[in-house]
Amino acid sequence: MRIGVDLDDVIAVCAVPYLRRFAQEYKVELPDEKEIGWHLLREMDTHVSAEERDRFRIKLYDGTFFSELDIYKDCPAVLERLVQKGHEIFFVTARAERRRMITETWLREKRILDYAKAVHLKPVGDFRPEYPRGRYDPAGSADYKVRLAKELELDAFCEDDTVISRTLARAGVRVFLFDQPWNRDVSGERITRVVGWTDLAEKLGV
């Protein structure tokens, strides 16, 4: 198969360190680590405005944040087995194209860059004019990933985002939804929930 693989919270552990930094910055209490996730940011309106959250994210992302992320434990071994079995892997992230160097450097340091046929980041200028600049736009990211899935003729996609997963599935792409606290309400035709990389390997027979 030709498989698209998201980076953040599929390959890279992203939400937990992000929320920890956020909580530290704004003196917010977080729940047990297993329940930390992007869904908590929606509950922060009374503490931190959307505009302030945007400023925080941009400042964090413009720093060393992406270079410091951990990789999910079994990811490298499973990617290696997938490639050995003849599957073609494409890393597809909604990170901005200007973050290519820090992204590819991290992938190289984690020794998984060579498993991918290509690394795709969101192109410069690919944004919806009506959406606040600097704010994460799941619908815009979903459109970008669906477009790329069609161009690359992907058979499946490894994803964690709720909007992106549903949009890919509606477009006819099989989705392996990596289980996270923020996507527990997602289900449907062409969506298969996986509890990490080992579970994915079992479902794909590698």
Side-chain angles (χ1 to χ4, degrees), residues 6 92-95 122 126-128 131 136-150 154 157 159 161-173 175:
D6 179 39
V92 182
T93 175
R95 293 183 189 180
K122 205 171 182 186
D126 188 341
F127 61 88
R128 294 190 297 161
Y131 205 79
Y136 174 61
D137 177 10
S141 295
D143 292 342
Y144 151 69
K145 289 190 177 183
V146 166
R147 186 171 68 247
L148 207 51
K150 290 179 178 177
L154 299 181
F157 208 107
E159 182 59 64
D161 183 277
T162 59
V163 174
I164 295 172
S165 297
R166 289 180 174 123
T167 306
L168 283 165
R170 282 197 299 271
V173 180
V175 175

Side-chain angles (χ1 to χ4, degrees), residues 54-100:
D54 292 342
R55 282 192 289 271
F56 171 82
R57 186 181 65 260
I58 292 166
K59 182 180 177 182
L60 193 67
Y61 285 1
D62 283 345
T64 58
F65 179 74
F66 286 125
S67 67
E68 298 166 351
L69 301 180
D70 291 328
I71 190 168
Y72 281 100
K73 180 182 166 188
D74 298 322
C75 173
V78 174
L79 285 173
E80 182 178 17
R81 296 207 299 273
L82 286 168
V83 172
Q84 286 174 345
K85 287 287 188 179
H87 299 293
E88 294 182 323
I89 305 298
F90 299 83
F91 294 149
V92 182
T93 175
R95 293 183 189 180
E97 176 62 38
R98 63 193 175 93
R99 308 199 193 282
R100 178 171 291 278

Side-chain angles (χ1 to χ4, degrees), residues 103-117:
T103 297
E104 292 192 347
T105 299
W106 184 88
L107 291 167
R108 191 174 293 109
E109 287 173 351
K110 300 302 180 185
R111 300 183 179 180
I112 62 171
L113 180 62
D114 291 342
Y115 294 137
K117 289 282 187 183

